[in-house]
Amino acid sequence: MMTTKQVAEKLVNYCRQGQFAEAIQELYGQNIVSIEPDGAPVKETVGLEAVIAKGQQFNEMVEEYHGNEISDPIVADKFFSCTMKIDVTFKGAPRTSMEEVCIYKVEDGKIVKEEFFFTPMQHG
């Protein structure tokens, strides 16, 4: 079974390569809870299938990825965090850079909770 540090390093490596779907498939637990900040389109998503679907919905809004930056993880106990910055053009919108702090909880070698901290974009 992977340690929290091993899970953190694998997640960061997947994300740096833009392999978000692969990261979810390998590293997330069946009952994952994903929490977005107030003002995001969906505040809480529960369950692996729903989190996969959320990722697909996000990808469908994207016209072009220009790159990303992910910090090295900081690990303590069952938790780790990192920052993510993505440079992206959404369909029908100007190119934008988004930055967030991501916090993850690991149990039995799987990510069971993720929470993202960022300022949601104003829509409309």
Side-chain angles (χ1 to χ4, degrees), residues 5-41:
K5 186 175 192 297
Q6 288 169 322
V7 171
E9 288 170 354
K10 273 202 147 175
L11 181 81
V12 165
N13 287 333
Y14 271 130
C15 292
R16 284 178 175 159
Q17 295 167 49
Q19 297 178 314
F20 301 103
E22 292 84 346
I24 291 169
Q25 289 287 353
E26 182 183 348
L27 302 173
Y28 284 35
Q30 282 298 320
N31 299 316
I32 176 76
V33 176
S34 179
I35 299 174
E36 301 276 351
D38 289 333

Side-chain angles (χ1 to χ4, degrees), residues 2 21 24 30 54 90 92 95 99 105 112 115:
M2 284 190 288
I24 291 169
Q30 282 298 320
K54 183 174 79 161
F90 289 106
R95 182 170 170 171
E99 199 170 14
K105 181 178 183 183
V112 296
E115 186 164 0

Side-chain angles (χ1 to χ4, degrees), residues 38-52:
D38 289 333
V42 179
K43 173 74 177 157
E44 186 173 306
T45 306
V46 179
L48 190 59
E49 296 303 316
V51 168
I52 290 169

